[in-house]
Amino acid sequence: MLKKSDKKLTKEEQLLQDHKMIRESLKDKKRIVVKIGSSSVIHEATGGLDFVKLEKLARYLTDLHNQGKDVVLVSSGAIGMGVKALGLPKRPASIARSQACAAVGQGYLIGVYERFFKEYNQQIAQILITKETMINNERRVNARNTFIELLDMGVIPIVNENDTVATEEIEFGDNDTLAAIVCALVKGDLLILLTDIDGFYTDDPHKNPSAQIIPMVEQIDENIEGMAKGVTSRYGTGGMATKIAAANICNDSGADMIIASGAKAENLNKIMDGEPLGTIFKAHKRPDFHLISYLENKPYMED
Ligand code: GLU
């Protein structure tokens, strides 16, 4: 006869137990990349920066670093900040003008981060990346070396796409993909995407009220890819498909990835404390993982 503790778990119970364990294991992560989207750093109604959130983010990221973890922040918001600083009524349609906005906004954005991180004696650095940089073997190695040196010296690199020079043919286009590439490049073990949706849903929650959040994705299969289609972000550039693409890169490279709401900076702390926020995509490192083939062939974008 089976003792109570030997009771065979149902598939659902086993999943719940796995989920709990993987969430608890997040405390032990060593190198974490956090991505925050434009819609999470900018107030939608006015286009102004959410200073309270950025201030908290700087505090929480510094605290993670003080716990002995390496931390990288990928922050969007350059174009949006440029639009605001230049007093434009809305995001420009032309690429050249958007790039000009990014040139103004990126400086402003990093200046704000600089001030907040300084409050906590945390050194930061700015790294701007283009897809071209990542495809070129020499430059990719250079970028990786720079990241590693910075992390070794206890710096938190703040990354964005170099929007002022990246046009359609050479751009990542969305910071979800960029963040996943950065995570793979620095051999991070966790990527957290803080975004305008609170997790991965079975269907578009804006259109289908019975859509349900999936707490854990063990394997990205056709079913999951099908659910992601058509779920667009309201304000940022990346919809759910780009997040699945990011999860593919991350998971294949050996990192877990979480999609969670960026509405509150506190969510970052809750996630690191093991609370089951958003959706976690489980890592399954491919022994043959080569970042360059993801960059060149975009297998993560195939449908
Ligand atoms: N790099 C763009 C910016 O900083 C944002 C891209 C994105 O939203 O994913 O404005």
Side-chain angles (χ1 to χ4, degrees):
M1 200 173 105
L2 289 174
K3 282 192 273 157
K4 206 173 176 197
S5 55
D6 296 337
K7 196 179 112 215
K8 205 166 174 344
L9 298 178
T10 64
K11 205 170 162 224
E12 260 168 38
E13 285 169 336
Q14 185 65 53
L15 265 175
L16 274 173
Q17 202 180 68
D18 286 358
H19 184 218
K20 199 162 174 254
M21 271 170 65
I22 190 173
R23 291 292 186 158
E24 273 164 13
S25 74
L26 296 183
K27 295 187 184 86
D28 304 324
K29 296 289 183 186
K30 293 267 174 289
R31 185 163 286 175
I32 302 158
V33 179
V34 175
K35 180 252 169 178
I36 187 129
S38 302
S39 57
S40 303
V41 295
I42 293 173
H43 289 293
E44 191 200 356
T46 62
L49 267 187
D50 187 337
F51 285 111
V52 172
K53 192 183 292 170
L54 291 187
E55 197 275 334
K56 284 182 181 167
L57 195 63
R59 189 174 353 141
Y60 298 152
L61 290 173
T62 303
D63 191 55
L64 278 180
H65 177 249
N66 288 351
Q67 290 168 33
K69 301 179 194 305
D70 292 336
V71 177
V72 177
L73 173 64
V74 176
S75 176
S76 307
I79 300 175
M81 277 334 294
V83 169
K84 177 77 177 165
L86 292 163
L88 304 179
K90 59 178 169 68
R91 277 183 175 238
S94 99
I95 291 180
R97 190 154 276 211
S98 297
Q99 291 178 317
C101 286
V104 172
Q106 180 64 30
Y108 185 85
L109 190 63
I110 209 78
V112 171
Y113 279 123
E114 177 90 48
R115 280 213 311 278
F116 286 142
F117 277 100
K118 211 174 231 159
E119 281 286 304
Y120 303 105
N121 288 324
Q122 175 60 54
Q123 189 65 52
I124 59 157
Q126 172 181 257
I127 300 192
L128 301 178
I129 290 179
T130 62
K131 190 170 174 198
E132 234 179 11
T133 323
M134 285 292 114
I135 287 179
N136 180 291
N137 286 333
E138 200 181 320
R139 293 193 202 161
R140 188 177 63 258
V141 172
N142 286 341
R144 186 180 141 73
N145 291 343
T146 305
F147 270 111
I148 301 305
E149 287 298 320
L150 288 169
L151 294 173
D152 273 359
M153 292 188 290
V155 176
I156 297 185
I158 301 186
V159 187
N160 198 355
E161 180 153 18
N162 193 352
D163 296 308
T164 57
V165 296
T167 51
E168 233 172 292
E169 314 79 63
I170 53 162
E171 70 178 0
F172 289 108
D174 66 84
N175 278 359
D176 301 325
T177 311
L178 173 67
I181 301 263
V182 166
C183 187
L185 185 76
V186 301
K187 296 195 165 54
D189 47 13
L190 175 65
L191 169 63
I192 302 175
L193 299 181
L194 293 175
T195 185
D196 61 7
I197 191 158
D198 51 4
F200 183 68
Y201 280 82
T202 49
D203 197 2
D204 189 341
H206 307 304
K207 296 183 195 139
N208 178 358
S210 57
Q212 298 216 328
I213 206 161
I214 302 178
M216 176 172 70
V217 173
E218 294 205 84
Q219 187 78 39
I220 298 164
D221 53 17
E222 281 175 9
N223 191 20
I224 293 289
E225 277 166 0
M227 290 175 192
K229 282 207 180 105
V231 184
T232 49
S233 161
R234 274 174 295 171
Y235 322 111
T237 50
M240 202 42 81
T242 70
K243 293 181 176 57
I244 295 297
N248 258 321
I249 300 171
C250 247
N251 292 167
D252 287 359
S253 79
D256 291 318
M257 190 187 97
I258 292 175
I259 299 176
S261 166
K264 290 201 180 323
E266 285 77 4
N267 286 350
L268 181 59
N269 274 6
K270 290 185 178 169
I271 290 168
M272 294 313 297
D273 278 346
E275 283 191 39
L277 257 63
T279 302
I280 186 159
F281 293 77
K282 258 172 96 169
H284 41 76
K285 187 169 169 50
R286 286 174 63 135
D288 59 344
F289 181 84
H290 285 302
L291 185 54
I292 191 72
S293 60
Y294 284 75
L295 289 160
E296 282 178 341
N297 307 324
K298 285 196 165 185
Y300 55 85
M301 292 300 266
E302 273 170 20
D303 45 35

